[in-house]
Amino acid sequence: SQQGEEDPQALSIQEGENATMNCSYKTSINNLQWYRQNSGRGLVHLILIRSNEREKHSGRLRVTLDTSKKSSSLLITASRAADTASYFCADNAGNNRKLIWGLGTSLAVNP
Amino acid sequence: GAVVSQHPSWVICKSGTSVKIECRSLDFQATTMFWYRQFPKQSLMLMATSNEGSKATYEQGVEKDKFLINHASLTLSTLTVTSAHPEDSSFYICSAPPLAGGPRQNEQFFGPGTRLTVL
């Protein structure tokens, strides 16, 4: 089945550093979204970037979209220990509102 | 706004029993809800799309008689794992997109998940 690819699978950084994770798809991107999941919890929507947008900011989050490469990146600046979580990208599959999920990046921010 | 609840948050049951998980949109209506299964350190696997007032749409490889879905109202969908076995142990998460046409229509709002352990 369709699936987004994410890298890295796991990332460990020190507090204050920036974290970058990438997501790519084999098909064209519609509405690329990033979600965060704390261990054993549901997912929280972080940011959505549309296919006609190239960059979007929300607080310490910066998302870019390259439709020609069918890829997106999520940058978390000045990371905090509380940013430790798994981050997933997802894209709308079409009119049925399904999301096609990436494999996720597990981020550990060490104090 | 846009809160989704799930109940129970965790359940332990004996092999062969059935378990019902509820997913509720608390402050918005949802004609569609999605049920996912997630194994440790893995991504979400879509099991089925729950449609209010009609039959659920199951993904390939998901047994509809095993995972019964009912979407009886615009705020409630239930997933029943019938005759549960240890291999059904997993984290089950539901999500709901808001009604179409709004500014957040492409997002999904997630429940906190239900941890099922079958002994």
Side-chain angles (χ1 to χ4, degrees):
Chain A
S1 60
Q2 283 184 307
Q3 197 162 42
E5 296 177 6
E6 276 188 70
D7 73 273
Q9 286 189 340
L11 182 60
S12 180
I13 59 174
Q14 296 299 122
E15 247 185 339
E17 293 180 340
N18 296 341
T20 300
M21 45 207 98
N22 306 293
C23 169
S24 63
Y25 285 82
K26 292 184 169 60
T27 55
S28 58
I29 290 175
N30 298 304
N31 294 288
L32 197 287
Q33 306 174 47
W34 286 90
Y35 288 81
R36 166 197 169 122
Q37 183 182 33
N38 284 55
S39 181
R41 304 290 297 168
L43 281 77
V44 175
H45 183 267
L46 294 176
I47 198 165
L48 180 152
I49 186 165
R50 301 185 193 284
S51 57
N52 61 353
E53 297 175 311
R54 293 296 167 260
E55 188 170 311
K56 209 160 181 180
H57 296 255
S58 176
R60 293 183 296 112
L61 305 181
R62 174 179 163 240
V63 168
T64 60
L65 180 65
D66 186 333
T67 51
S68 64
K69 294 181 180 177
K70 302 186 182 70
S71 66
S72 173
S73 67
L74 170 67
L75 168 67
I76 304 174
T77 60
S79 64
R80 305 167 182 167
D83 294 329
T84 295
S86 291
Y87 292 82
F88 294 92
C89 63
D91 187 34
N92 283 111
N95 292 334
N96 60 12
R97 310 183 82 184
K98 282 186 196 180
L99 289 178
I100 306 299
W101 292 88
L103 298 176
T105 294
S106 176
L107 173 65
V109 181
N110 304 304
Chain B
V3 178
V4 176
S5 70
Q6 264 183 259
H7 178 81
S9 55
W10 60 271
V11 57
I12 301 173
C13 69
K14 291 183 179 178
S15 193
T17 59
S18 293
V19 174
K20 181 188 281 189
I21 303 170
E22 292 186 350
C23 178
R24 291 181 187 271
S25 55
L26 297 185
D27 51 4
F28 67 102
Q29 293 181 329
T31 55
T32 300
M33 290 185 178
F34 298 97
W35 286 98
Y36 295 91
R37 184 173 180 176
Q38 187 180 33
F39 292 104
K41 298 189 187 302
Q42 293 191 23
S43 188
L44 283 76
M45 184 188 81
L46 180 64
M47 299 174 66
T49 304
S50 172
N51 304 300
E52 187 267 336
S54 65
K55 290 182 180 179
T57 306
Y58 289 82
E59 295 299 301
Q60 194 171 10
V62 178
E63 299 175 59
K64 60 179 71 174
D65 295 330
K66 171 77 173 173
F67 299 99
L68 299 179
I69 290 173
N70 183 275
H71 195 146
S73 76
L74 287 171
T75 59
L76 173 64
S77 175
T78 60
L79 168 68
T80 302
V81 182
T82 62
S83 186
H85 289 283
E87 58 265 30
D88 299 323
S89 298
S90 191
F91 191 57
Y92 293 87
I93 312 176
C94 70
S95 72
L99 294 180
R104 304 181 71 178
Q105 64 174 348
N106 293 308
E107 298 177 29
Q108 288 188 17
F109 302 108
F110 283 81
T114 297
R115 172 80 55 197
L116 171 63
T117 302
V118 185
L119 302 177

